[in-house]
Amino acid sequence: MNSTFIDRWFERSKSSMIFLGLCFMLSVGLVGVGQLCGCRTATTAVDASRRFAPGLTITFPNPPTPGVVNLLNDCGAKRASEKAFVIPAYNRHDENQGYAIHQALVEGATLTGWRAPP
Amino acid sequence: MKRSTSFGLNQVDPNAYNGWAGFLNGCWSDADKMAALMGTAGYEARAFFDAECTMNRLRQQLEIAARVSEAGDTFYFSFSGHGTQSLGVWFSTEEGMACYDGILGDSEFRELLAQFKPGTNVVVDLDICHAGGLDRAFGQSARVAPLWSTRGKLVTPKAIVDVPANLIIRAACLRDELSGDVQFNGVPNGAYTGSLLETMDDGMSWRQWLTATQRYMSNRFPTQHPELIEVGGSGMADQVV
């Protein structure tokens, strides 16, 4: 069977084309992965440096009184240790949270930001 | 390290004020919510209320903060309660903060803030009447405002020399104005602190935050004009909260 010019050219350049194709796909993949990593890193950096923490850690100098413990439990706070509670989602319009936080502050508590572990 | 201390006085000791208890409604809420806000913003926040807010407690808190703060650290202090204005020397006025057991004057306040080391950042929010007058404590002995001075005649201080820290004071109102004790959606707050809470947004600088608050208050509380007092020109006001 007589081969056409295209067939002959394809036969000769097939391995080169495969090689170039692989190079192209590899480069696209690398750039894509790089961009994804870059975006993720940048987002994480902004989160860490600027965005307010969604929650609060309430740390007491002494174990909190039962009254304050009840208030914190009632507003959805989680006990983190003998002297610490976590409010995972602080909302200043939530009056139950506000009252519990006030009573905690009266007992000498310190407030710091809280974020869910990655 | 970032630390925050808030004072909220819904009343004072009548024994220290000739029988006057000075009841207010929004100061606890101010202190609670500013402490929580600063906590979420990365500060280690504490708050004190009423009888805890003595002159000695205020002195102690500022002295401790000044002692432990190093260059680059930030200390935030807010005071919600009554402010005072009295006749000083040669028709000048003297302003002060009404602590539970007495008035802490602007001169002593300056001395307390002067203890912070160079390079430390200090931010003070004063939600009290005559708050703008507290700026006079910062080294402008020549800046004597007569009692009959009007808002337009008051001069905002440019540079302060005797406080080594990078200091900004955000005052709830001008010297001759009063600060309101109001409600936001049924919850008591100071007009100024409540407006700060309403306008705070992620990534704002101290100056942007106050500008947003000024704009908000110009519509809702037009008789009160918050002002920013910068000490030293360190650019502190443009740092992100």
Side-chain angles (χ1 to χ4, degrees), chain B residues 55 84 95-97 103-110 112 134 137:
Chain B
M55 289 189 286
T84 63
E95 285 73 27
M97 291 175 280
I103 294 167
L104 193 125
D106 47 16
S107 299
E108 183 176 359
F109 191 50
R110 171 186 60 85
L112 291 167
L134 269 292

Side-chain angles (χ1 to χ4, degrees), chain A residues 50-53 55-56 90 92-93 95 98 101-102 105-106 108-113, chain B residues 28 32-33 35-37 39-41 43-47 49 52 197-198 200 202 240:
Chain A
R50 292 194 139 185
R51 191 164 295 167
F52 283 9
L56 282 171
Y90 169 65
R92 70 182 165 86
H93 298 296
E95 289 185 30
I101 288 170
H102 174 74
L105 288 167
V106 167
T110 301
L111 308 181
T112 49
Chain B
W28 287 8
D32 289 341
K33 289 175 180 168
L37 176 69
T40 58
Y43 289 70
E44 190 181 286
R46 295 196 66 190
F49 308 94
E52 295 177 319
L197 293 164
E198 289 291 319
M200 182 57 194
D202 184 21
V240 173

Side-chain angles (χ1 to χ4, degrees), chain B:
Chain B
M1 189 70 191
K2 293 156 82 171
R3 297 179 187 82
S4 156
T5 298
S6 297
F7 275 34
L9 292 101
N10 273 352
Q11 68 171 95
V12 294
D13 182 3
N15 295 323
Y17 290 87
N18 296 321
W20 178 74
F23 291 115
L24 293 168
N25 294 307
C27 301
W28 287 8
S29 179
D30 288 351
D32 289 341
K33 289 175 180 168
M34 286 311 294
L37 176 69
M38 300 315 286
T40 58
Y43 289 70
E44 190 181 286
R46 295 196 66 190
F48 299 95
F49 308 94
D50 289 359
E52 295 177 319
C53 303
T54 59
M55 289 189 286
N56 271 343
R57 174 62 60 77
L58 194 154
R59 292 178 187 123
Q60 175 203 47
Q61 288 298 307
L62 292 182
E63 283 166 1
I64 290 172
R67 193 166 60 242
V68 301
S69 295
E70 300 295 338
D73 289 351
T74 301
F75 176 68
Y76 171 83
F77 176 73
S78 71
F79 188 100
S80 290
H82 283 289
T84 63
Q85 187 178 56
S86 56
L87 192 62
V89 180
W90 193 241
F91 297 106
S92 68
T93 57
E94 291 178 352
E95 285 73 27
M97 291 175 280
C99 295
Y100 187 74
D101 57 346
I103 294 167
L104 193 125
D106 47 16
S107 299
E108 183 176 359
F109 191 50
R110 171 186 60 85
E111 288 166 12
L112 291 167
L113 293 173
Q115 297 176 26
F116 283 85
K117 304 177 188 87
T120 54
N121 304 312
V122 183
V123 180
V124 177
D125 267 327
L126 297 173
D127 195 351
I128 58 176
C129 294
H130 312 295
L134 269 292
D135 58 5
R136 187 168 44 75
F138 295 93
Q140 46 285 38
S141 54
R143 184 170 171 254
V144 179
L147 276 177
W148 55 84
S149 68
T150 61
R151 229 182 87 217
K153 290 179 184 172
L154 295 177
V155 180
T156 302
K158 299 298 182 192
I160 310 305
V161 292
D162 54 353
V163 176
N166 307 321
L167 170 67
I168 57 172
I169 295 178
R170 303 192 306 177
C173 63
L174 299 176
R175 170 183 315 194
D176 296 330
E177 292 179 341
L178 303 179
S179 292
D181 192 47
V182 300
Q183 291 198 343
F184 286 78
N185 300 318
V187 178
N189 267 122
Y192 171 66
T193 304
S195 301
L196 285 175
L197 293 164
E198 289 291 319
T199 55
M200 182 57 194
D201 204 359
D202 184 21
M204 274 184 169
S205 69
W206 297 102
R207 186 194 307 278
Q208 288 169 330
W209 189 9
L210 188 73
T211 302
T213 302
Q214 287 169 326
R215 200 175 300 127
Y216 180 90
M217 291 185 72
S218 67
N219 292 321
R220 191 159 172 190
F221 308 106
T223 59
Q224 216 174 308
H225 300 85
E227 69 172 344
L228 177 72
I229 300 150
E230 289 183 80
V231 178
S234 61
M236 175 65 198
D238 295 311
Q239 288 184 20
V240 173
V241 175

Side-chain angles (χ1 to χ4, degrees), chain A residues 8 10 16 27-30 41 52 80 82 93 100-101 110:
Chain A
R8 287 196 300 276
F10 183 75
S16 305
S27 62
V28 167
L30 284 175
T41 307
F52 283 9
E82 187 194 17
H93 298 296
I101 288 170
T110 301

